[in-house]
Amino acid sequence: MAQLGQGPGLAWVLLRALLRFIFMFFNNCVAIPSYCLYLLALQPLRVWDSATFWYLEGVMFKWLLTMVSSWGWIAGYTVTEWGDDVRPISEEEAMVIVNHQSTGDVCTLMMCLQDKGTVVRKMMWLMDHVFKYTNFGLVSLIHGDFFIRQGKAYRDKQLVYLKEHLDRYYNSRDRKWIVLFPEGGFLRKRRETSQLFAKKNSLPHLTHVTLPRTGATQVILKTLAGQQENGSLPADGRNNNQTGVKKCRNLQWVIDVTIAYPKARPMDIQTWIFGYRPPTVTHVHYRRYPIKEVPVETEALTDWQYQRFVEKEQLLEHFYSTGAFPPSPGQKECVSRQMTLDPVWLCAVQSFAFASGYMWYSMFQYLYCCVF
């Protein structure tokens, strides 16, 4: 009887996974080509009014990320937020450093940043170069995200390319938040190597995170934080050396994001697509630092970033033991906030995507009939 009881449950899970996959397949088939075709049609605007072009691109980029968020939302995968409230600084420039456990980390960020003002449409991602070859790779390429190649053989050149990329795209496309994963890979892949490195160099032994790499972080700070000749950063996050009416905007914050999954079981992209895991709450902790508190020189920055990841280790250890994050310094308790998405808005974005796909299909079908 137990086996009979389990049969329909398994059948329903498989059927639901198949239906979700079919929906997401068609969702990608209409949304991504529509995004590309809209931007192709708007190329004259890019020449005439670049700011408006990138504004419209950012709006459509946010809609695409909203669709990805909806895949998890309708499966019951939600987010609870802890720590500092970052919404008041959502319109200010910030570098976001995140611990990296699985492919689901990106999906989680796509979801929890949806209600942070214009952040999603004005953000820049640093991601592994393999993502360039995924279905979303073309979108990220157009948006101006940076694909970084891992490995010692590529490290120095990649940092040069990163600086050139930031100089070219960050301010010209009105970017605000730049997101990176300093660990340089998934926890399960880097943990053993990181622990051996820590033991060899008398550094803290970490289990829930790995020791971060500072190369990309340092390039971002030196390029976008308005470093002065003495190596310090301006207290207000502005580059005072800029002349003219419109000054170059610079980073004002570093936002330290720690993602925790129940029972330390990371959510991967396959789970988001097929929805075979029961409804799950992912917990995201924020802590923000004014840019003036962040060192730039290599040794000091390395120590500062190591300290942040030691704190992440302590946060995660506390969370996995108690089910909650500890209070921030100066607070008696840590209050959580349930992040929500508007179902009406999700339906509207999905409907627009399918309507756009139908419009482009009809247009090309008409042109084909006229020509042939």
Side-chain angles (χ1 to χ4, degrees):
M1 292 296 292
Q3 292 179 348
L4 290 175
Q6 292 175 357
L10 178 60
W12 166 241
V13 170
L14 294 175
L15 177 60
R16 185 177 61 181
L18 177 61
L19 292 175
R20 284 175 60 88
F21 176 79
I22 293 172
F23 172 78
M24 293 174 196
F25 174 79
F26 284 106
N27 196 185
N28 276 278
C29 287
V30 297
I32 294 177
S34 294
Y35 166 87
C36 297
L37 290 169
Y38 277 127
L39 293 182
L40 184 62
L42 289 171
Q43 286 304 304
L45 178 63
R46 182 178 182 180
V47 177
W48 179 55
D49 187 350
S50 177
T52 301
F53 173 85
W54 289 113
Y55 170 83
L56 295 174
E57 184 278 332
V59 170
M60 290 187 285
F61 182 80
K62 179 177 181 178
W63 291 350
L64 288 176
L65 269 59
T66 300
M67 294 177 206
V68 176
S69 301
S70 71
W71 300 349
W73 188 261
I74 61 178
Y77 304 147
T78 58
V79 172
T80 293
E81 299 179 315
W82 304 75
D84 295 339
D85 186 0
V86 298
R87 286 173 296 183
I89 63 169
S90 61
E91 300 305 313
E92 300 177 10
E93 292 71 32
M95 177 177 68
V96 183
I97 56 175
V98 192
N99 62 313
H100 208 10
Q101 301 177 67
S102 71
T103 50
D105 299 338
V106 175
C107 300
T108 297
L109 287 174
M110 288 181 179
M111 176 182 288
C112 65
L113 296 180
Q114 286 290 326
D115 66 345
K116 307 297 186 296
T118 62
V119 163
V120 174
R121 66 179 177 86
K122 291 189 175 185
M123 71 195 311
M124 178 182 289
W125 296 78
L126 265 66
M127 59 188 77
D128 193 279
H129 78 287
V130 297
F131 285 99
K132 186 188 297 185
Y133 308 105
T134 65
N135 61 320
F136 213 78
L138 180 59
V139 173
S140 293
L141 195 64
I142 295 172
H143 183 68
D145 296 328
F146 183 77
F147 300 95
I148 192 165
R149 198 177 187 92
Q150 303 293 341
K152 293 182 180 179
Y154 306 100
R155 191 168 300 163
D156 292 340
K157 285 187 178 181
Q158 290 298 301
L159 296 179
V160 173
Y161 295 153
L162 173 58
K163 184 183 187 311
E164 293 174 351
H165 186 88
L166 295 173
D167 288 335
R168 185 176 181 182
Y169 296 120
Y170 184 82
N171 281 309
S172 66
R173 297 188 180 183
D174 194 26
R175 298 296 175 242
K176 287 188 178 292
W177 286 20
I178 181 166
V179 182
L180 70 155
F181 300 92
E183 290 166 291
F186 297 143
L187 173 64
R188 67 179 186 276
K189 293 183 177 181
R190 292 207 62 243
R191 177 159 40 199
E192 184 177 353
T193 303
S194 176
Q195 290 174 346
L196 290 174
F197 177 82
K199 183 177 181 180
K200 182 178 179 180
N201 293 274
S202 301
L203 295 170
H205 179 87
L206 305 176
T207 302
H208 304 300
V209 294
T210 65
L211 291 171
R213 296 168 179 173
T214 59
T217 305
Q218 187 175 41
V219 169
I220 292 169
L221 288 173
K222 286 189 173 183
T223 307
L224 302 180
Q227 182 187 22
Q228 305 300 302
E229 290 183 359
N230 61 1
S232 63
L233 298 175
D236 61 356
R238 303 291 174 179
N239 189 341
N240 297 322
N241 292 332
Q242 297 292 331
T243 58
V245 178
K246 186 177 181 180
K247 295 185 178 181
C248 181
R249 297 177 296 104
N250 295 294
L251 296 178
Q252 299 174 64
W253 301 92
V254 172
I255 301 175
D256 186 9
V257 178
T258 303
I259 299 176
Y261 298 96
K263 300 180 181 180
R265 291 180 56 208
M267 187 91 67
D268 53 30
I269 188 64
Q270 296 93 319
T271 307
W272 276 67
I273 292 175
F274 294 106
Y276 48 76
R277 184 183 292 190
T280 303
V281 179
T282 302
H283 298 261
V284 179
H285 183 278
Y286 303 96
R287 188 172 181 187
R288 61 190 193 185
Y289 298 88
I291 199 68
K292 64 181 179 180
E293 297 181 6
V294 183
V296 180
E297 297 308 313
T298 303
E299 185 174 350
L301 177 59
T302 300
D303 291 341
W304 184 88
Q305 202 161 1
Y306 280 178
Q307 186 178 354
R308 300 287 75 76
F309 275 76
V310 169
E311 290 175 359
K312 285 181 181 290
E313 175 79 10
Q314 296 169 349
L315 287 171
L316 291 170
E317 183 66 34
H318 190 280
F319 177 84
Y320 294 140
S321 300
T322 66
F325 283 109
S328 301
Q331 296 181 348
K332 294 183 178 180
E333 60 179 356
C334 193
V335 180
S336 63
R337 305 174 295 275
Q338 185 68 36
M339 187 268 164
T340 60
L341 294 175
D342 184 0
V344 176
W345 168 243
L346 297 181
C347 290
V349 171
Q350 293 286 3
S351 299
F352 178 79
F354 283 100
S356 297
Y358 178 76
M359 180 195 73
W360 288 113
Y361 172 78
S362 300
M363 186 181 300
F364 282 113
Q365 186 181 44
Y366 175 76
L367 292 175
Y368 179 84
C369 293
C370 289
V371 174
F372 300 102

